[in-house]
Amino acid sequence: MTDSGEPTQGFSTKAIHAGWDPDPQTGAVNVPIFASSTFAQDGVGGMRDGFEYARTGNPTRRALEANMAAIEGGTYGRGFSSGMAATDAMLRAGLRPGDHIVIPNDAYGGTFRLIDKVFTQWGISYSVAPVVDPDAVAAAMTPQTKLVWIETPTNPLLNVGDIAKLADVAHAGGARLVVDNTFATPYLQQPLSLGADVVLHSTTKYLGGHSDVVGGAIVTNDEQTDADIAFLQNGSGGVPGPFDAYLTMRGIKTLSVRMDRHCDNAEKLVEFFSAHKAIETVLYPGIDGHPGHATAAAQMRRFGGMISVQLAGGRQAALDFCAKTKVFTLAESLGGIESLIEHPGAMTHASTAGSLLEVPDNLVRLSVGIEDVEDLVADVDQALR
Ligand SMILES: *Cc1c(COP(=O)(O)O)cnc(C)c1O
């Protein structure tokens, strides 16, 4: 029960229902794609239901935003045209010239690139620290640190950060903790409930889930943070169109069933890789010996659909493996129903070459889809021969 006496709903119920009730006029059970850039007013300033111009707000987007807030256990949600548009808005909302940010030493390549190439030109400085080590994160902070930015599990090394501890570290230094929750999704992990101030998503990945839409979102419980994000959302205009918002919401409805299957399939593949002599290391938080296993078990429902492996045969073996799979498609991105494989050093994380965030060159990242697991195992088996 909530304070208001309403029954608290489970994750899947919220994912399916939050943000939209059947339309009172037509009974439409799904939110319509409101393809309208402007909205008629009843007299000057007389907006109907708060809509005037679709960069500022659109009913399909509003439904998605309410849904995103509900599934993350937050109060406010804002949709963006991409995860990077959301990241850009959050960085601008949270940092001013002279400020400092701490980012993971294996941050998403695009996040690192945006901070390193663009924000440093506007007087922002950054340090990198391993999310696995709260003391190292604390040590990387300066009196100017306003944001501590983490991913957990990280991309592509699948390191795990203790969100509650990192929130304490950030707050002790007067900074806010932002969690990029793209890899885990709110089904597996809810950072706001663990003390994070802001949750950010590339909804392109598991939330959309079908590799058919690019989007981003920011969720928070803090009214001022939301007001700052809303100002930038409208002021800079990196908004999702109504069709994108619709597709993302459609994806979210099946998030829990898809995630369970992603996790089931990933667990079977981890078993296979762990026993294979061509594989030097399997990186997956669900493995007992994984350094982040205990933390992941405490803060996540399950361990996710992403696996990284290091090939015993080095870079060439990694490239060959990626080239030889047939069910796993060689492509960037992740989180869709279809299995994908990639070489981070040459693809998603090429921009980190030569930096502190450089990834091992024998590393292969797999986004395990929801196909029949026997076909996935057979595919990686033939590709490793
Ligand atoms: C893909 C991704 C992003 C960027 O999102 P886009 O939708 O591609 O702009 C940010 N963080 C993580 C962890 C991602 O995987």
Side-chain angles (χ1 to χ4, degrees):
M1 290 283 187
T2 61
D3 293 347
S4 61
E6 295 282 316
T8 45
Q9 294 182 324
F11 183 87
S12 303
T13 308
K14 283 193 247 178
I16 291 167
H17 294 287
W20 182 255
D21 286 325
D23 182 45
Q25 203 178 334
T26 62
V29 296
N30 274 308
V31 64
I33 300 164
F34 282 93
S36 194
S37 60
T38 190
F39 298 87
Q41 304 189 15
D42 298 320
V44 176
M47 288 182 278
R48 300 179 197 168
D49 209 10
F51 298 107
E52 55 181 344
Y53 183 62
R55 168 159 41 74
T56 322
N58 170 288
T60 317
R61 187 174 101 211
R62 182 196 273 177
L64 169 66
E65 292 175 335
N67 184 278
M68 281 292 319
I71 62 174
E72 275 292 359
T75 313
Y76 308 100
R78 299 284 165 188
F80 286 86
S81 55
S82 68
M84 289 318 303
T87 299
D88 181 62
M90 187 59 224
L91 292 170
R92 282 183 293 127
L95 299 167
R96 295 289 175 274
D99 288 349
H100 175 264
I101 178 173
V102 179
I103 58 172
N105 64 348
D106 54 355
Y108 175 70
T111 303
F112 169 69
R113 184 178 55 196
L114 182 62
I115 293 167
D116 181 58
K117 296 276 189 285
V118 179
F119 277 83
T120 54
Q121 295 186 47
W122 298 91
I124 307 295
S125 61
Y126 72 91
S127 301
V128 303
V131 297
V132 296
D133 184 352
D135 293 339
V137 172
M141 291 176 71
T142 74
Q144 283 70 47
T145 305
K146 294 287 161 30
L147 296 180
V148 173
W149 191 285
I150 67 160
E151 300 169 30
T152 180
T154 62
N155 175 22
L157 295 177
L158 300 168
N159 288 314
V160 175
D162 185 322
I163 296 172
K165 276 197 190 138
L166 290 163
D168 287 345
V169 164
H171 296 159
R176 287 184 282 174
L177 180 71
V178 180
V179 179
D180 179 334
N181 204 27
T182 301
F183 265 43
T185 82
Y187 178 60
L188 299 182
Q189 162 180 294
Q190 302 194 331
L192 296 177
S193 71
L194 298 165
D197 300 283
V198 175
V199 174
L200 182 136
H201 279 281
S202 167
T203 58
T204 312
K205 316 297 168 52
Y206 287 105
L207 296 177
H210 297 73
S211 307
D212 54 7
V213 60
V214 171
I218 294 175
V219 179
T220 182
N221 284 320
D222 183 57
E223 193 177 354
Q224 185 57 48
T225 301
D226 179 65
D228 295 345
I229 295 296
F231 182 83
L232 287 164
Q233 183 194 39
N234 179 53
S236 298
V239 295
F243 187 56
D244 290 357
Y246 170 83
L247 280 176
T248 304
M249 217 166 146
R250 177 177 163 126
I252 289 171
K253 289 176 196 292
T254 56
L255 179 65
S256 60
V257 286
R258 285 187 285 107
M259 283 317 292
D260 276 326
R261 180 68 166 263
H262 284 297
C263 293
D264 289 344
N265 286 359
E267 285 166 15
K268 293 259 168 49
L269 279 164
V270 163
E271 257 172 55
F272 174 83
F273 286 133
S274 299
H276 203 290
K277 61 181 187 329
I279 303 294
E280 182 184 273
T281 317
V282 184
L283 304 173
Y284 186 68
I287 297 175
D288 236 341
H290 185 282
H293 179 67
T295 305
Q299 72 188 15
M300 297 177 77
R301 188 194 295 257
R302 295 184 68 180
F303 303 102
M306 299 300 298
I307 305 172
S308 290
V309 294
Q310 288 179 265
L311 278 284
R315 182 171 197 269
Q316 194 54 50
L319 293 172
D320 289 347
F321 181 34
C322 293
K324 280 169 72 182
T325 56
K326 297 189 177 105
V327 182
F328 278 85
T329 301
L330 178 58
E332 299 197 357
S333 198
L334 60 110
I337 48 177
E338 66 287 293
S339 293
L340 303 177
I341 189 168
E342 68 121 2
H343 186 272
M347 295 171 67
T348 48
H349 289 65
S351 66
T352 64
S355 78
L356 290 165
L357 285 80
E358 188 167 317
V359 293
D361 66 359
N362 65 341
L363 188 77
V364 169
R365 188 187 79 180
L366 300 106
S367 173
V368 180
I370 65 170
E371 299 96 334
D372 292 291
V373 72
E374 299 75 19
D375 295 331
L376 299 181
V377 170
D379 189 39
V380 295
D381 187 23
Q382 66 79 26
L384 287 170
R385 272 170 216 265

